[in-house]
Amino acid sequence: MELRFTDEERAFREEVRSWIDANLPAETRERMASGRTPTKAMQVDWQKRLYAQGWAVPHWPVEWGGQPWSAIKRFILSEEIQSTPAPSPLGFNCNMLGPVLIAFGTDEQKKHFLPKLASLDLWFCQGFSEPGAGSDLASLKCAAKREGDHYIVNGQKTWTTLAQHADWIFLLVRTDAGAAKQQEGISFLLVDMKTPGITVRPIITIDGAHEVNEVFFDDVKVPMANLVGTENRGWDCAKFLLSNERTGQARVGASKERIRRLKLIAKETPGGARPVMEDPRFRSRLTDVEVQLKALEMTTLRVLADENRALSQRKPNPASSVLKIRGTELQQAISELYVMAAGPYGLAAPHDPEADGRNEPDVAADWQTLAQATYFNWRKQSIYGGSTEIQKNIMAKAFLGL
Amino acid sequence: MDFDLSEDQRLLQDSLAKLLKDKYGFEQRKAYLKSETGWSREVWAAFADLGLLGMPFAEDDGGLGYGAVETMIVMEQMGRALTLEPFVSTVVLGGGFLRHGATPEQRSALVPMIAEGKLLMAFAHTEQQSRFDLHDVATTAKKDGDGWVIEGRKGVVVHGDTADQLVVTARISGGRRDRDGIGVFLVPADATGVTRRGFRTSDGQRAADITFDAVKVDAAAELQGGLALVERVADEAIAALGAEAIGCMEAAKDLTIDYLKTRKQFGRPIGSFQSLQHRAAEMMVCLEQARSMAMLAAMMASERNDDERRRNMRAVKIEIGRNARFVGQQTIQMHGGIAMTMEYAGGHYLKRLTVIENMFGDMDHHLAALSEEGGVFVAA
Ligand SMILES: Cc1cc2nc3c(=O)[nH]c(=O)nc-3n(C[C@H](O)[C@H](O)[C@H](O)COP(=O)(O)OP(=O)(O)OC[C@H]3O[C@@H](n4cnc5c(N)ncnc54)[C@H](O)[C@@H]3O)c2cc1C
Ligand SMILES: Cc1cc2nc3c(=O)[nH]c(=O)nc-3n(C[C@H](O)[C@H](O)[C@H](O)COP(=O)(O)OP(=O)(O)OC[C@H]3O[C@@H](n4cnc5c(N)ncnc54)[C@H](O)[C@@H]3O)c2cc1C
């Protein structure tokens, strides 16, 4: 056991930090720091900079633009990105689809798509969920029928995050309705969003944001060449992808940044007799969350170190399930702390100069008006990417033998 | 003790429930929400016809002479339907200030107008620095001949943008956080020097930032009672909002239970999963605990011992807040993605409950104060 970062790792952290400082546009940094999501242009621009530096997809094999780094080194990079805060590389491209293509794609697919995924020349979205298939993903109905060298896709996807920005979508479709097991008739397809027959309809979430969409497929023609892996074996790709999706959600670096920022804000926020930060109850609640976050940080490092060592064995680490459950709980808890700090002025809805029907400015500080919106929005954290309940079912079954 | 409703109370509950069923479907509510005022004048008129707006006022003043239990009954229904009208602002808060702080002349001038739905009120109290402290008032009122000149700024005045009359707290003497020296004034919203900036609150309702720039009012504009009056009316509002929260929680629970029975995943209703069953049962525990506190609030609203009343209202606010948060969060969690959307009622309950939690002091504010005051069960 060596329970400290090495000198090399510490030096690397410094290198990353100063590179980000030198390269992150001020506008992007400000928007991120205010607690908003980056615009599409900001995301693309930033990811291209990371790509040019070789840092967009360090976890991929070197031949596809990855780095021969330890998991700890990759952790340091992503933590620095999150805690600046800067936009993280687009998860759909880099953490979900990329690894699937590397594991299951044809040579042509790899050559064509991987560089574009890493550089964000193509923006992908994830078309898994359907109205009737949420937690029970394998019950999906969206169908693809073979016709010559094409599939014809018909059906609906929902909750498709950022489909309004996406150039392409990766889809799970049913290619064999008669398979003995639901999981056996599913295929994994890549679809150009410009193909005729695709309609994207916004879903507005309770915080007023347009983040998710419904996507409809009406006789959409998809070349056979866009099938990933084997027909009817798409579930293998899906399972592989979902396990990557889940470990990516602890976001400890982002939570640390949110806490540090909250401390600064709360110091400046009057709370009657004294600043909010000097309210003992607020402080102890905040500290309690910090302690739990510290534990989660250690758990993350354990999982990463283990991943490094046991790559060949590929045995799942029980602690990795803790990351999604506790990571999202802590993000939600931090969002509640912001609501508390905002107090009565947090009742004002956010003023977003880019949105139509904007709220009138100046009624409260920007962060105050965002506090409740973020709290509402982050209720999603324990629902998507495998709900907390589903994670616990997995733990009970896979690790506890229940 | 008797926790059952009387015949008249049941009638009141039923007639309001029927009105809201007709006028306040979720789709209708959406239309009200999007309108200029953010609520419905038509529904407001219907409230007047039903006698709701004159409810808590003495019969001599032109009201119905109802008490806190009736307010509780009405607010619970309002919570169920997620109504948007300025009932708390006008009837509970505005009405409370008139009942406890106004002269008979003031009341006879204003109460009939409220009862008929012709006068809207709002309570302009919170300031940027005050957070939840009712005694933290920087806005000033200076004597000016027979009248007063008011100067200052108030924030998140709920329904402040549509109100006709504002109840404004202002410092007459002493330091910003002194308990003494706080005056309460009736200020017409169109008085010279009043500037209002309306905006949406996080639950979609309306509020305003209001500045008072050398606003002149006459001597008769002052209400009597100072901070004690403010605390008393705030406590009545806590009771009303508590009952509204119960309505929200109950409707959210019902919606969730229905969903657990109908939504199928893995080939069976999700309500057949024990982890969700237990959570649904916990929602019920929360609801019943909160309901008890809403009743305590109704009981305590007329308590003459200020200390006793405040202490209990703090307990009400804490306990309802805690339980409301759980019920609101679970409503979303157990629905999955669907309750994250604007189109579905589920998430709107969490939003309203969150706003209620943050009105007149959040859980931490009252916990700190109550523990300072020796807790609920005071040791000798
Ligand atoms: C904001 C947001 C963004 C999303 N983005 C995407 C995206 O980009 N692409 C995509 O494909 N999908 C996306 N999703 C969909 C997400 O993955 C699903 O919402 C999720 O899988 C849950 O499905 P559901 O909403 O249908 O809920 P349901 O599956 O209906 O679940 C309802 C409730 O029942 C519980 N439950 C279900 N089964 C069990 C069980 N066996 N045991 C115990 N409890 C159970 C759930 O945990 C939940 O609490 C997104 C969702 C949201 C909210
Ligand atoms: C101090 C003490 C005094 C007692 N006094 C008396 C007495 O005077 N007379 C008497 O007759 N008995 C008495 N009992 C017995 C008591 O009623 C039992 O302990 C109780 O019924 C639980 O049974 P068990 O201990 O066999 O636990 P089990 O029934 O084996 O339960 C073990 C765990 O499984 C859970 N569980 C069981 N079934 C389910 C289910 N369907 N769903 C979810 N969870 C489930 C339980 O809640 C518990 O957490 C006493 C017990 C104690 C500890």
Side-chain angles (χ1 to χ4, degrees), chain B residues 348-363:
Chain B
H348 293 269
Y349 287 110
L350 172 73
K351 297 210 286 181
R352 181 63 193 154
L353 288 170
T354 304
V355 164
I356 290 175
E357 212 191 294
N358 279 282
M359 285 173 75
F360 296 102
D362 64 6
M363 220 189 300

Side-chain angles (χ1 to χ4, degrees), chain A residues 31-297:
Chain A
R31 186 171 170 99
M32 296 293 296
S34 78
R36 294 170 203 275
T37 50
T39 64
K40 181 177 183 181
M42 285 175 182
Q43 174 76 42
V44 173
D45 168 79
W46 175 240
Q47 190 163 327
K48 285 193 179 305
R49 291 174 197 245
L50 285 173
Y51 179 67
Q53 176 72 5
W55 289 356
V57 287
H59 55 299
W60 289 9
V62 173
E63 58 168 320
W64 297 115
Q67 296 284 356
W69 293 347
S70 67
I72 299 294
K73 217 168 150 185
R74 298 200 308 261
F75 168 80
I76 290 171
L77 172 64
S78 81
E79 177 170 75
E80 285 306 315
I81 290 174
Q82 286 175 24
S83 59
T84 300
S88 293
L90 189 69
F92 299 118
N93 283 21
C94 304
N95 302 336
M96 298 187 204
L97 182 56
V100 165
L101 287 183
I102 290 162
F104 299 92
T106 62
D107 283 345
E108 289 74 45
Q109 285 170 342
K110 289 182 202 175
K111 267 195 216 110
H112 179 73
F113 285 109
L114 288 176
K116 294 188 171 71
L117 292 178
S119 66
L120 201 45
D121 278 343
L122 286 184
W123 183 306
F124 265 87
C125 63
Q126 178 188 25
F128 280 16
S129 306
E130 298 179 11
S135 299
D136 183 13
L137 186 53
S139 68
L140 60 92
K141 291 205 169 65
C142 184
K145 280 212 170 61
R146 273 274 265 281
E147 253 179 39
D149 57 354
H150 280 83
Y151 287 107
I152 304 293
V153 177
N154 277 290
Q156 180 192 347
K157 292 291 169 181
T158 191
W159 309 124
T160 322
T161 299
L162 301 182
Q164 74 270 30
H165 295 339
D167 306 299
W168 282 66
I169 183 168
F170 53 88
L171 277 187
L172 288 181
V173 290
R174 188 154 300 285
T175 34
D176 180 5
K181 277 180 71 189
Q182 280 185 329
Q183 285 83 344
E184 282 162 10
I186 292 171
S187 300
F188 192 108
L189 293 184
L190 308 180
V191 182
D192 186 338
M193 294 290 282
K194 286 188 295 295
T195 321
I198 298 180
T199 314
V200 177
R201 270 218 303 256
I203 297 174
I204 305 300
T205 43
I206 48 175
D207 54 319
H210 173 199
E211 178 175 72
V212 286
N213 304 271
E214 298 178 288
V215 185
F216 298 88
F217 297 83
D218 182 17
D219 283 338
V220 175
K221 251 177 111 173
V222 180
M224 280 289 297
N226 293 358
L227 172 73
V228 179
T230 315
E231 190 178 74
N232 295 333
R233 302 288 306 171
W235 192 248
D236 297 343
C237 304
K239 269 197 312 196
F240 177 80
L241 182 147
L242 291 174
S243 65
N244 289 333
E245 180 179 3
R246 279 161 196 165
T247 50
Q249 284 170 345
R251 295 187 57 77
V252 172
S255 287
K256 280 201 225 168
E257 191 275 331
R258 296 270 297 159
I259 283 180
R260 292 201 176 101
R261 193 175 154 69
L262 180 57
K263 286 183 179 174
L264 296 178
I265 289 169
K267 245 188 223 161
E268 306 286 305
T269 304
R274 58 198 161 198
V276 171
M277 195 56 208
E278 283 168 32
D279 176 345
R281 205 165 308 266
F282 179 77
R283 286 172 78 113
S284 72
R285 280 189 200 275
L286 179 62
T287 309
D288 195 16
V289 170
E290 287 181 73
V291 170
Q292 295 183 59
L293 190 61
K294 192 68 203 169
L296 190 69
E297 182 179 28

